[in-house]
Amino acid sequence: MRATSAALVLTTLVVPTGSLSLSPSPITEPTAAADRRASAKPIRDRTNIGTLSVPHIGLGTIAWSPDGPEDESRYAEVAATAMNAGLDLFDTAERYGAKGTDLIPAALAAMGVPLRGLPVGHDGSGEYLGGDTESRLGTWAQGGTIMTKFAPTPWRGDAKAVVDACRGSATRLGGESVDLMQVHMPDIIQPFARFGVENRREEAHWDGLAECYHSGLAKNVGVSNYGPTLLERAHEHLAKRGVPLASNQIHFNLLYRRQGSLATVAKGKELGVATLAYYPLAMGLLTGKLTGASLRHKKDLRSRELLRYLEGGESPSGPFAFPNTAGTIPKGGISTLLLVLEEVAAVNQKTPAQVALNWVICKGAVPIPGASNPQQVLDNAGALGWRLSEEEVAMLDSAADALDWEFNGCGFQTADSKFVGYGFEKWRLD
């Protein structure tokens, strides 16, 4: 990996005080947030992603979909807290921030269905993708490092589409360039593949990344959800054009290691490509905070599947079982792994979540956990400034290996696929 070793010095975090108020439109930066940023103390536990010096933990924003002024204020304070703590690495994408009602038209657009009369992209391009988190981060995370992504679809298959998307992202983020532009996934949305017609255009996307890099629209470029083979192909293709491949973002955590993730991290180290890990806490399963009692009364799909991972259970049947992402989980669920996680946490005087994040770092990746309130940001920061011992990493590996299943996501948020209206299109890391 291109990352350099960082001094493992625990940095004192300044806990922000006071409250924020934020008007929903236009998006403005709270004065208190700006004041706190001025006194921010840098995190010393850092690494490199291409030319970027970043903290060893990022902040994911996939769930940032404010619904009214109160939510706007809360997420603004989350971002301000992260900046103040020195956790100034944010992960987003052009689609992040979409409301539930946006997802169906966005999925139809992904298949190339004309959307006359429906909202267009926030950059006025007519490419409806549903999200507006980039615009918010342009205000909330000024001075931070922001990674964003281009979403391949059947109607965005050439290099120009990548360049146009990058320019739109830069505009929404409030600058002339982006810190890191990534292709969101392999070119898997192939609606006619079942009829024997497939048109993969990864190389055109890589050419687009190269144009973004050489034109200065993107300071660094990367990919997402690429396994070892495709990662090596992208690295070689870009190298021929004089472009370094900075990153590859994949699903990676203690509960998702065997399906090509570990091999992908290893290939990234070999090529000098930083690996970024999304869902590092498996949607909260590795925090130790989820309990059967807190989930059992909930009826939403995500909670039902999280409960099955937690305790075990049979796959549901019938017309309302779709998409059944979790599948059947043996009795006991993740309980044996949680016991080891809690044991290691107690020895290190850390939380299970901090241990799970540190495990990702020890494996050579940069975890990107989410946060929905300021305290979660500070909890995440507690994973920095120290490292698990080799023996502790081995204990956690062994406990994870003892499970004969892995975390595949919940509902329509999956580990290895994307829902695109007519079903799921999958990728494979191996």
Side-chain angles (χ1 to χ4, degrees), residues 202-203 206 228-238 271:
E202 276 93 359
E203 292 189 358
W206 304 337
T229 301
L230 197 55
L231 181 64
E232 191 162 31
R233 281 183 53 203
H235 181 270
E236 180 180 1
H237 186 93
L238 289 167
L271 298 174

Side-chain angles (χ1 to χ4, degrees), residues 94-352:
E94 55 186 355
R95 288 191 65 175
Y96 287 6
K99 301 291 193 301
T101 52
D102 298 331
L103 296 179
I104 292 176
L108 292 172
M111 296 185 289
V113 176
L115 295 177
R116 294 175 183 173
L118 292 177
V120 299
H122 289 278
D123 59 355
S125 66
E127 296 180 349
Y128 180 72
L129 292 170
D132 52 11
T133 299
E134 286 178 325
S135 300
R136 291 185 168 94
L137 286 175
T139 298
W140 296 343
Q142 288 182 19
T145 298
I146 301 176
M147 310 178 291
T148 192
K149 307 179 197 73
F150 157 83
T153 67
W155 43 274
R156 304 172 95 196
D158 57 9
K160 182 179 181 298
V162 181
V163 175
D164 289 346
C166 188
R167 185 177 291 110
S169 289
T171 298
R172 290 186 290 275
L173 289 168
E176 296 182 354
S177 64
V178 300
D179 296 317
L180 175 62
M181 184 66 174
Q182 303 164 101
V183 176
H184 209 146
M185 58 190 172
D187 193 19
I188 57 170
I189 304 178
Q190 302 289 330
F192 301 108
R194 64 197 63 196
F195 304 109
V197 179
E198 190 173 49
N199 182 23
R200 298 290 293 259
R201 296 155 300 178
E202 276 93 359
E203 292 189 358
H205 297 153
W206 304 337
D207 286 337
L209 289 179
E211 291 182 27
C212 291
Y213 180 83
H214 285 306
S215 68
L217 270 176
K219 299 173 185 177
N220 297 270
V221 296
V223 293
S224 300
N225 298 304
Y226 278 31
T229 301
L230 197 55
L231 181 64
E232 191 162 31
R233 281 183 53 203
H235 181 270
E236 180 180 1
H237 186 93
L238 289 167
K240 289 178 179 178
R241 298 198 55 175
V243 179
L245 181 60
S247 65
N248 181 30
Q249 186 172 150
I250 63 171
H251 180 192
F252 182 48
N253 58 53
L254 267 168
L255 285 171
Y256 196 83
R257 311 162 57 244
R258 296 189 290 262
Q259 298 183 32
S261 295
L262 284 170
T264 301
V265 174
K267 179 57 72 172
K269 291 179 181 178
E270 175 189 326
L271 298 174
V273 177
T275 300
L276 313 176
Y278 65 86
Y279 293 155
L281 298 175
M283 296 186 180
L285 287 168
L286 297 172
T287 65
K289 296 179 180 180
L290 293 180
T291 65
S294 67
L295 295 171
R296 214 177 316 280
H297 69 284
K298 296 182 178 180
K299 302 302 181 183
D300 63 284
L301 180 59
R302 177 181 174 127
S303 295
R304 294 200 310 269
E305 295 208 306
L306 286 173
L307 179 62
R308 206 180 322 153
Y309 283 122
L310 193 66
E311 298 182 342
E314 296 289 330
S315 295
S317 58
F320 300 105
F322 181 81
N324 190 23
T325 301
T328 295
I329 304 297
K331 185 177 180 179
I334 65 169
S335 58
T336 54
L337 174 58
L338 282 180
L339 288 173
V340 177
L341 197 58
E342 290 167 353
E343 178 183 346
V344 174
V347 170
N348 287 280
Q349 296 185 324
K350 297 291 180 179
T351 67

Side-chain angles (χ1 to χ4, degrees), residues 26 52 73 103 123 175 177 281 316 346 361-362 365 371 392 401 403 419:
L52 306 171
S73 180
L103 296 179
D123 59 355
S177 64
L281 298 175
I361 296 173
C362 288
E392 290 167 333
D401 285 339
L403 301 176
F419 182 69

